Amino acid sequence: LYVPSLAALPAEAGKEKERWARLGIRSLAAVPLVSAGMVVGVMGFESLQSEKLWDRGDLVLLRTVGEIISGALERQRAEAELRRALSATQEARDKVDGILQSVAEGLIVTDAAGAIVLVNPSAEEMLGIAGHRVEGRSLADFLPEAGLTGDLLAALAADRAGRFETTLPGADPRRPRIIQVATALLRDRRGRTSGLIATFADVSREREIDRMKTEFISTAAHELRTPVTAIQGFSEVLLFGGQLRAGERERFLAYIHDQATTLSTLVS
């Protein structure tokens, strides 16, 4: 905007002329300061004592300086947005890290090639690995069980989620740990597989309890079957055996009584 003489403005600029006259402006030259496609300010020259004609060099300089300031404002805005984005990203990462640190199950995240991206503390302890040493390395380099590595890579190659169990060495060589593994796929916005999430749960205690329950039921059934069979057999003899020899009835009843006592003890 270049106004060498306020008095020379046409009638259509009456409002501007009146406003500038109140400010004592006689001549002015100004350029807009633009940031992100929006006018955020104005920079220019004003002459208050008398009318002034600025030459072309002055106007080119004014425009150049305005563009420099606009560029600086744009960079400042971009830097502020970048700082906000970085801050938001860091906050989100801190939240995710906090969640992963508190998850009781072991968790490993890989990229599409099977390289480890993240390992939480539970997985480090369960699998005997150090997360700060494995990130970016292949699964096969660090997992203690080759079969487990193969199953995870197979799930990634098959492009589908799954669930399976594997065994790992335990404190007692005679009792390996039983690990239940669940896998899920990570996908990008285009739906392509970008990685794998695997969770690990030590179900050794649950499986031991199941075994103990099975053994108990089997043992209890065997121990209960013996007196029940005896009671049933001798009572049938008493009911349907016909004429018994002297003393047999009392002996059979005594045996039934003894087996019933044994059964009662077992139940108790």
Side-chain angles (χ1 to χ4, degrees), residues 53-164:
L53 296 176
W54 287 282
D55 60 28
R56 181 174 179 79
D58 292 333
L59 298 178
V60 171
L61 177 61
L62 177 62
R63 182 179 300 144
T64 301
V65 174
E67 291 174 353
I68 292 173
I69 294 177
S70 295
L73 291 173
E74 179 66 22
R75 287 193 297 275
Q76 185 181 43
R77 183 193 64 82
E79 290 172 359
E81 289 184 356
L82 179 59
R83 285 194 294 270
R84 286 194 295 269
L86 289 175
S87 177
T89 300
Q90 186 60 46
E91 288 179 4
R93 182 177 179 84
D94 290 344
K95 289 180 181 178
V96 172
D97 287 344
I99 293 171
L100 294 179
Q101 297 294 324
S102 63
V103 172
E105 291 185 334
L107 185 143
I108 290 180
V109 181
T110 76
D111 63 14
I116 297 174
V117 176
L118 183 146
V119 179
N120 76 340
S122 296
E124 293 179 19
E125 181 179 357
M126 189 180 303
L127 303 177
I129 58 179
H132 65 278
R133 293 175 48 200
V134 304
E135 292 183 6
R137 306 289 293 276
S138 171
L139 282 169
D141 294 339
F142 290 94
L143 287 187
E145 177 63 43
L148 175 57
T149 302
D151 289 334
L152 292 176
L153 293 177
L156 189 58
D159 198 29
R160 64 173 182 269
R163 187 181 295 270
F164 59 89

Side-chain angles (χ1 to χ4, degrees), residues 1-15:
L1 175 64
Y2 178 39
V3 182
S5 172
L6 188 64
L9 284 175
E12 291 83 353
K15 291 183 179 180

Side-chain angles (χ1 to χ4, degrees), residues 44-262:
F45 304 131
E46 297 174 350
S47 177
L48 304 180
Q49 302 298 326
S50 62
E51 294 181 354
K52 181 175 179 60
L53 296 176
W54 287 282
D55 60 28
R56 181 174 179 79
D58 292 333
L59 298 178
V60 171
L61 177 61
L62 177 62
R63 182 179 300 144
T64 301
V65 174
E67 291 174 353
I68 292 173
I69 294 177
S70 295
L73 291 173
E74 179 66 22
R75 287 193 297 275
Q76 185 181 43
R77 183 193 64 82
E79 290 172 359
E81 289 184 356
L82 179 59
R83 285 194 294 270
R84 286 194 295 269
L86 289 175
S87 177
T89 300
Q90 186 60 46
E91 288 179 4
R93 182 177 179 84
D94 290 344
K95 289 180 181 178
V96 172
D97 287 344
I99 293 171
L100 294 179
Q101 297 294 324
S102 63
V103 172
E105 291 185 334
L107 185 143
I108 290 180
V109 181
T110 76
D111 63 14
I116 297 174
V117 176
L118 183 146
V119 179
N120 76 340
S122 296
E124 293 179 19
E125 181 179 357
M126 189 180 303
L127 303 177
I129 58 179
H132 65 278
R133 293 175 48 200
V134 304
E135 292 183 6
R137 306 289 293 276
S138 171
L139 282 169
D141 294 339
F142 290 94
L143 287 187
E145 177 63 43
L148 175 57
T149 302
D151 289 334
L152 292 176
L153 293 177
L156 189 58
D159 198 29
R160 64 173 182 269
R163 187 181 295 270
F164 59 89
E165 288 187 359
T166 187
T167 58
L168 297 176
D172 185 350
R174 297 171 300 176
R175 292 187 176 182
R177 292 178 298 154
I178 302 174
I179 306 298
Q180 188 177 78
V181 185
T183 61
L185 299 174
L186 292 172
R187 300 190 185 275
D188 58 21
R189 293 183 178 180
R190 298 181 179 178
R192 297 176 301 187
T193 300
S194 60
L196 177 78
I197 298 178
T199 58
F200 302 82
D202 190 335
V203 295
S204 303
R205 178 171 174 77
E206 287 82 353
R207 295 296 178 269
E208 178 66 12
I209 291 173
D210 289 341
R211 184 190 64 79
M212 292 170 63
K213 285 163 56 179
T214 301
E215 288 185 357
F216 171 77
I217 292 172
S218 176
T219 301
H222 174 74
E223 294 295 332
L224 293 172
R225 186 177 296 113
T226 300
V228 168
T229 301
I231 291 171
Q232 183 179 7
F234 281 101
S235 61
E236 288 178 353
V237 171
L238 290 171
L239 287 171
F240 309 112
Q243 193 68 29
L244 297 176
R245 292 192 296 271
E248 284 185 333
R249 179 180 179 86
E250 287 73 15
R251 184 162 56 87
F252 290 169
L253 286 172
Y255 194 82
I256 290 174
H257 180 269
D258 291 342
Q259 292 303 311
T261 301
T262 300

